[in-house]
Amino acid sequence: MAEQNAPTLKRSIGLWSAVAINIGAIVGGGIFVVTGIVAGYAGSAFIISMIVAGLIAFITAMNLAKLTAWRPVEGGVYEYGRQLVRPSVGFLGGWMWLVANTFTGAAVALGFAYYLSAAVPGLAVNVVAAVMCLVFTGLNLIGARESATINNVLVAVKLLVLAFFVIFGSLYANSANFAPFVPLSSGVLYAVFFIFFAYGGFARVTVIAEEIKDANRNVPRALLLSLGISMVIYVCVGLVAVGLLGADGLAGSASPLSTAMDVTGVMGTGQIIAIGGLVATASVLLTNIFGVSRMAYSMARRNDLPSVLARLHGKRFTPYYAIICTGLLMAGLVLFVDLTRVVAVSTFSLVFTYCIVNLSAYKLGTKRSSVQQRFLALLGLGTCLMLLGFVLFASPDAWVIGIAFLLAGAGYYLLTKHWRRQKRVLANDTDTPKCPSEISDVTP
């Protein structure tokens, strides 16, 4: 009876709220923070990197849409890897997704703090970022529908700010700032890897599939709609940013878009963009904690993580232990890391999980005897492996740290699997009746 009355996840999120959650996860840290990093690698040609990274993301998103239409389930890549490939592969996919998005949360929290410090000089960036992680943890505890409503407002504000940046900034853009434009360079390829971080949140909606109404239709739609909208926004904003400040100017700023708008000389415009940066990174952080807590919940209910993380609040139907642990972990992380390294490790881990997405889609295509689906899955897998190859040159540290996390996850999985096997053996020994000779041996 207790099991029947246990709280369950509620389908309370509609299509457009799901689209907003994904846009909230995508448009934020990338365009407001990572723009400066990629400009340093590719110069003004980082626009090409944005387009290439967007196309790579779209291929994987199409494969993920097939998987979610087949079976929309909380946990996304973890469940698909588990069900279609093997449990250990699913676990590593979920584990690295947690690593990626925990680091992403840290990156956008730091981005928020950088934009706030631009408006209020003298703030301790890492401390501000930690406080924001705790604040948005509290907001996530309220409930899924309430969190989605708050996110809808944040997304609307940041899209208005970005529209202002594109329209107003284009009046002051200078085409001379695009010179030199070198689209065929190693820097453009490295920038593809880093800008992929900006698109990385496109899978967020698949992780919360059991909380979305009519999930078989709405999750794939939300996935592809949000990614297409975000790609258009990124390219438009990138073009105007280069036209205003040039690649060197963007590369030298921790808050590149507000610095670019300052070039117009119109008082207050830089502050408007800084506010947009705050709102944008805030919405990413909100949805990030949302997604990480749901992945932890999904893994915990299958006993791949401590079962306490699968407990739901009796009234708000949220995995409150998972949310609290996620927020505390991110808050601790931002106190000790720098932005560039966080982005690199996060992108490595995300690309690894998307390799598993494409592998799962290939298995599904084999199951359905679909040649077209298998080809698309192999194309997605190949592009993701190419991105992992870029890491060796763009950020070798990311490989070292990423593989360390991967090995830690594999070790954890093997230890817990061994522990569960030993527990079953002991339980079987306890349940097996003893023969008379065994009883006499222990009777005084």
Side-chain angles (χ1 to χ4, degrees), residues 58-68 357-358 361 373 376-377 380:
F58 216 87
I59 294 168
T60 295
M62 289 174 69
N63 287 316
L64 193 50
K66 294 284 187 183
L67 291 166
T68 54
V357 165
N358 289 302
Q373 189 169 324
L376 190 64

Side-chain angles (χ1 to χ4, degrees), residues 56 59-61 63-64 67 351 353-363 373-374 376-384:
I56 291 172
I59 294 168
T60 295
N63 287 316
L64 193 50
L67 291 166
V351 174
T353 64
Y354 290 144
C355 286
I356 293 177
V357 165
N358 289 302
L359 182 59
S360 301
Y362 178 83
K363 290 287 188 178
Q373 189 169 324
R374 292 201 299 272
L376 190 64
L378 288 174
L379 183 61
L381 181 60
T383 54
C384 286

